Amino acid sequence: MKAAFLTLGCKLNYAETSTYERGFRSAGWEIVDWREKADCYLVNTCTVTATSDSKSRNLVRKVHRINPSAEIIVTGCSAELRRSDFEALEGVSRVYGAAEKSRIVADLTGSSADSDVFAAYSSGERTRAFLKVQDGCNNFCRYCTVPYARGRSRNVPICECVRMAGEIAALGMKEIVLTGVNTGDFGRSTSESFLDLLKALNEVDGIERYRISSIEPNLLTEEIIDWIASGTKFQPHFHIPLQTGSDGLLNRMGRHYDTAFFLDRINYIRLRMERPGSPKVFFGIDVMVGLPGETEELFGRTVEFIRRLRPAFIHVFPYSRRPGTPAATMSGQVPEQEKARRVAVLEALCDELHREFVSANAGISEKVLFESRDKGGMMSGYTGNYIRITRPYDKSLVGELTDIIIDR
């Protein structure tokens, strides 16, 4: 039997798909490229925007054309929110929502048990893995469908996370990125804490570096920061969602902090983790432009606030009106053309700030974990503070932490 997998959306989806692949492979299935004729196609969908929903449906139609007799399984966030749409598509055999996805391998191969939280990690790279430690969210921000698509906040027990980290180490990977829907909310369903998870993972032999993929600013506590800064495997790299630099809009969207708190958290991390001659902390921030009520003046405040923050990277995306969310019916909807203009403004600012960040690290000693890809005789990897380094390909450096001096 041959199975093929297609994935849209976030790293969490990719970690889950990778886990499905391992389950099918261990049950004796052959994994093939989705462009080939397979007996079963699994489409892991995304619903973050209307475009994502459309792409998800189009992928189902595409694989059905490749092999009209194949079984098509659909899961993921779009499948949860729009089950009937997918069930109506020709060729779809079964649709698995958020609470059912852990049964997929068991139902199709009879070789695995389900659980309340689908434990998962990616294993497609030789150097790093994405480890899913948490799922769901209880925040119900007014623009977001995630709590409806992924369910309430719940997590994998620490012992299971440590077990999976050990499996990742056994595969020869040196770096793990912790991922989840609301990663810092870890422990809600097991009465454990996020800090206890970090401490336990820090002891896993074979894993030399950890990163936290995304964490809400109010969940990145001073206690966690102090522990990371004390000398651990966790890197000076944080991805923290801001969304907007307007306190009024933060409140309107149901966010749990204001700009003063956000700035204070960034400054505290820099205070605890940066020293003269040491690597600067990489901050990536999410910003959503065109939220309902975002006037030109409020957008200007966001730009000004980001300049004060000086992050190394801005992940910019336009607000997408999602049916069923409070924000979809709010007044002050921003035209799509204006959203696109604001995205362009922040992308230009991102380029400027990233160049400034790299320049600020020039001459500093760091370690790079080089990847296996050979692109035109060159290879690349990332420092602990997430600066991409490129050098001539050297097979002996693949998967090894290598000392370098960061160039300007």
Side-chain angles (χ1 to χ4, degrees):
M1 296 289 287
K2 296 181 178 180
F5 300 82
L6 302 89
T7 308
L8 287 170
C10 61
K11 296 296 185 183
L12 204 58
N13 269 11
Y14 282 89
E16 290 173 347
T17 296
S18 187
T19 302
Y20 296 137
E21 289 185 14
R22 289 193 302 275
F24 275 76
R25 189 176 284 111
S26 66
W29 289 55
E30 180 184 353
I31 309 303
V32 299
D33 186 89
W34 67 268
R35 298 170 188 84
E36 297 183 31
K37 200 169 184 179
D39 301 293
C40 175
Y41 296 90
L42 189 149
V43 183
N44 199 349
T45 64
C46 176
T47 189
V48 69
T49 66
T51 300
S52 302
D53 285 324
S54 178
K55 284 182 178 179
S56 297
R57 293 190 295 271
N58 287 338
L59 281 178
V60 172
R61 296 186 183 102
K62 187 173 291 186
V63 296
H64 179 61
R65 289 195 295 270
I66 293 172
N67 185 6
S69 63
E71 187 171 15
I72 300 176
I73 307 300
V74 184
T75 189
C77 293
S78 192
E80 170 68 24
L81 295 184
R82 291 163 180 80
R83 177 186 288 266
S84 60
D85 291 350
F86 286 98
E87 289 175 337
L89 291 178
E90 191 173 356
V92 172
S93 304
R94 303 182 224 183
V95 177
Y96 288 82
E100 306 159 318
K101 66 177 67 175
S102 62
R103 301 204 313 260
I104 290 175
V105 174
D107 286 355
L108 272 75
T109 72
S111 61
S112 179
D114 64 336
S115 61
D116 181 51
V117 189
F118 176 40
Y121 62 87
S122 65
S123 54
E125 294 186 49
R126 286 180 59 184
T127 51
R128 75 172 53 81
F130 288 85
L131 172 60
K132 174 186 171 183
V133 300
Q134 185 273 342
D135 204 343
C137 184
N138 295 356
N139 287 348
F140 288 90
C141 298
R142 295 187 177 98
Y143 51 78
C144 186
T145 59
V146 165
Y148 310 102
R150 284 273 179 178
R152 294 302 182 96
S153 180
R154 57 206 186 279
N155 60 277
V156 181
I158 289 177
C159 60
E160 179 71 1
C161 294
V162 169
R163 184 192 66 77
M164 289 190 293
E167 289 185 4
I168 292 167
L171 292 171
M173 289 181 274
K174 302 286 181 66
E175 180 174 300
I176 288 178
V177 183
L178 303 186
T179 186
V181 171
N182 188 5
T183 312
D185 201 39
F186 180 94
R188 184 174 290 271
S189 62
T190 57
S191 299
E192 297 170 309
S193 77
F194 188 53
L195 180 55
D196 286 340
L197 170 69
L198 304 188
K199 290 179 177 179
L201 290 173
N202 200 61
E203 300 302 317
V204 175
D205 291 336
I207 303 300
E208 299 188 39
R209 301 204 305 199
Y210 288 95
R211 302 182 194 274
I212 302 170
S213 63
S214 181
I215 184 168
E216 294 287 311
N218 52 303
L219 298 177
L220 185 54
T221 65
E222 290 187 359
E223 185 181 16
I224 291 172
I225 296 163
D226 290 344
W227 179 79
I228 291 175
S230 69
T232 70
K233 296 177 182 178
F234 285 81
Q235 302 303 296
H237 173 198
F238 296 93
H239 187 147
I240 310 175
L242 169 66
Q243 310 306 15
T244 174
S246 161
D247 286 339
L249 281 179
L250 287 172
N251 182 63
R252 192 182 195 202
M253 294 301 127
R255 302 294 287 165
H256 298 285
Y257 54 86
D258 58 18
T259 54
F261 180 91
F262 196 98
L263 179 61
D264 179 72
R265 192 77 346 149
I266 298 294
N267 287 340
Y268 187 79
I269 294 171
R270 284 185 170 131
L271 175 68
R272 296 292 290 115
M273 298 188 69
E274 292 185 352
R275 296 288 183 272
S278 72
K280 309 299 181 187
V281 178
F282 183 106
F283 291 103
I285 64 170
D286 292 336
V287 179
M288 188 181 297
V289 302
L291 286 164
E294 185 186 65
T295 62
E296 181 61 25
E297 178 191 356
L298 294 183
F299 175 66
R301 290 185 192 175
T302 294
V303 174
E304 180 185 344
F305 184 63
I306 292 172
R307 286 193 176 278
R308 291 181 65 195
L309 290 173
R310 303 183 342 274
F313 181 78
I314 313 169
H315 181 202
V316 193
F317 45 100
Y319 163 70
S320 180
R321 206 169 180 174
R322 311 305 292 134
T325 61
T329 57
M330 287 181 177
S331 61
Q333 298 290 333
V334 178
E336 295 302 318
Q337 186 175 359
E338 177 59 20
K339 291 178 190 176
R341 186 192 71 81
R342 294 176 187 179
V343 166
V345 169
L346 289 185
E347 285 180 341
L349 178 58
C350 176
D351 291 341
E352 174 190 330
L353 291 172
H354 187 70
R355 287 193 299 269
E356 176 188 303
F357 176 74
V358 174
S359 178
N361 281 275
I364 290 175
S365 176
E366 250 284 21
K367 290 183 181 293
V368 177
L369 184 60
F370 282 105
E371 299 171 356
S372 59
R373 287 186 288 273
D374 182 347
K375 294 186 177 180
M378 303 296 288
M379 68 192 308
S380 64
Y382 288 91
T383 63
N385 64 341
Y386 212 62
I387 293 175
R388 189 168 181 264
I389 303 295
T390 302
R391 59 162 295 156
Y393 186 82
D394 182 344
K395 186 178 180 180
S396 69
L397 297 182
V398 173
E400 298 296 327
L401 284 168
T402 306
D403 291 312
I404 58 102
I405 301 295
I406 299 173
D407 293 328
R408 189 170 294 274

